[in-house]
Amino acid sequence: MASLCRDCSSVQPEKVEICPVCHSDRTLWHAQLEQLSVAHIDCDAFYAAIEKRDNPELRDRPVIVGGGQRGVVATCCYIARLDGVRSAMPMFKALKACPNAVVVKPDFKKYSAASREIRAKLEALSPLVQMVSIDEGYIDLSGTGRLHAHSPASLLATLAREIERDLKITISIGLSENRFLAKMASEMDKPRGFAVVAKTDVEAVLGPLPVSDTHGVGPAFAKRLSQDGYNLIGDVQATGRVDMMRRYGESGQHLWDRAHGVDHRRVSPDRERKSVSSERT
C-alpha cells in the first residue's frame, strides 16, 4: 500500500494520512499506486473557470457560459450546479433554477489557448497524449519513470499543481491501467480531485454505480437495461458475458467488458480530437 501526497508529490511505501515531508493531509493511497500509468485529465468547469480567472468579480458568483434566452448552457461553475444547472440545459430553464447567475458568452479563442497550454504540459511528460475534447484528454505514462525519475502518480500530482499555478484553473485526475477506468476514476473526485481505480477495485467501486454511468450507455439503452432488471453495474457484473451478448449483441459485449474493467483501447496521440465547434452544443 503506497501513499501519494498531492501537495509535494512525495510517495511513501505505506499508507499515511499526513504527509511526513510537507505535513499535508491531501494524501491518497492504493495498493497499486506505483504500477498504474494511464490517466484521464479533466478540467473542472473549464469555460466557467477561465471566465472566473479573467474576471475576479465572478469568483463567488454562479456563472453560466452559454447563449441567450433561446440558447443552451455550454458549462457552468460548481456554484450554479448546486441549483441544478447542467451542461446542455436550455438557458431559460437554467436561469429559472438559478436566477442570480451571471451569463457569459463563450470565448473559444481564449479557451483554445488554455487547452493548448495544458496539452503542452502533458506532452512534456509523455508523447502518448490524446485530447478527446478541448478540456479533457488521456496520457499514458508507461516507461517514463526512468526519464523523469518519478512515478506516474507523482508526475500527475505535480502536473495538477503546475496547472493551478500557471493557468489558475483546476483539474481532476483519474489514474488506472486503461482509458475506461481512468475516465471513471476522474469523475469520482471532482473538482480538484485525484482518484485511483484498478481492475481489482471494479466489483467494489463500480458495482454500486448506476449502469447509466457507464460511458457508451445512452438514455435509450439505459432504459432498456432497467426494464430488463439491470439498474446497477453490479447487475451486469453478475451476468455472464455470453448471456449479455445474446440479449444485447455487440452492445452487451461492450457493456460486460466495461463493467469488468476491460478496455483494450490505447492512448493514441494521432487521433483527431473533437473540434472546438462541437463544444457549442
Side-chain angles (χ1 to χ4, degrees):
M1 180 71 71
S3 300
L4 168 71
C5 175
R6 295 174 57 196
D7 282 335
C8 73
S9 302
S10 65
V11 176
Q12 305 301 321
E14 66 281 334
K15 177 180 177 180
V16 297
E17 296 186 3
I18 302 297
C19 175
V21 177
C22 71
H23 309 295
S24 168
D25 62 356
R26 295 182 70 225
T27 59
L28 61 91
W29 48 86
H30 193 278
Q32 298 181 50
L33 182 68
E34 296 284 75
Q35 287 76 53
L36 303 175
S37 58
V38 177
H40 180 255
I41 309 298
D42 193 9
C43 298
D44 300 321
F46 185 52
Y47 300 167
I50 295 294
E51 297 299 340
K52 289 195 174 198
R53 177 196 70 182
D54 294 345
N55 184 356
E57 293 181 0
L58 300 177
R59 186 183 64 177
D60 299 321
R61 301 284 302 279
V63 172
I64 297 174
V65 178
Q69 287 289 334
R70 296 185 179 181
V72 297
V73 175
T75 192
C76 62
C77 71
Y78 287 92
I79 298 175
R81 294 182 191 188
L82 294 175
D83 289 329
V85 181
R86 294 291 182 269
S87 298
M89 176 183 285
M91 189 61 69
F92 75 92
K93 288 187 177 180
L95 292 175
K96 184 177 181 180
C98 187
N100 296 323
V102 178
V103 178
V104 181
K105 291 184 178 180
D107 185 341
F108 290 102
K109 183 178 180 180
K110 186 163 55 176
Y111 309 150
S112 296
S115 180
R116 287 193 295 270
E117 289 188 63
I118 292 171
R119 179 169 189 150
K121 289 182 179 295
L122 292 171
E123 290 176 339
L125 299 178
S126 170
L128 298 179
V129 173
Q130 179 178 340
M131 299 299 292
V132 293
S133 74
I134 194 172
D135 63 345
E136 64 174 313
Y138 295 93
I139 182 170
D140 187 342
L141 291 161
S142 302
T144 63
R146 181 176 298 178
L147 174 64
H148 298 292
H150 291 287
S151 67
S154 180
L155 291 173
L156 291 166
T158 301
L159 171 71
R161 297 198 309 276
E162 288 182 352
I163 289 176
E164 287 191 39
R165 180 195 67 202
D166 299 341
L167 278 77
K168 304 298 188 293
I169 62 174
T170 64
I171 62 172
S172 291
I173 298 170
L175 177 62
S176 188
E177 52 207 272
N178 62 49
R179 286 175 48 181
F180 170 72
L181 290 177
K183 171 73 171 178
M184 295 295 287
S186 71
E187 296 184 351
M188 293 176 180
D189 184 19
K190 290 182 70 70
R192 201 173 180 239
F194 194 137
V196 180
V197 175
K199 280 187 180 180
T200 53
D201 305 317
V202 164
E203 184 174 343
V205 175
L206 299 191
L209 299 178
V211 71
S212 57
D213 282 4
T214 307
H215 297 285
V217 176
F221 191 25
K223 182 178 180 180
R224 182 183 175 191
L225 289 166
S226 180
Q227 291 172 342
D228 292 342
Y230 295 99
N231 296 297
L232 303 176
I233 294 178
D235 298 329
V236 179
Q237 293 172 342
T239 302
R241 187 171 188 265
V242 174
D243 290 339
M244 291 298 295
M245 291 175 63
R246 285 174 177 168
R247 187 185 290 261
Y248 304 109
E250 290 185 4
S251 295
Q253 177 181 336
H254 172 86
L255 178 58
W256 191 93
D257 284 346
R258 296 298 184 263
H260 289 80
V262 177
D263 184 3
H264 300 296
R265 296 173 299 165
R266 295 181 179 274
V267 176
S268 305
D270 294 333
R271 183 182 183 275
E272 183 180 359
R273 73 169 174 83
K274 300 175 185 177
S275 65
V276 172
S277 60
S278 70
E279 298 297 314
R280 298 177 188 269
T281 310

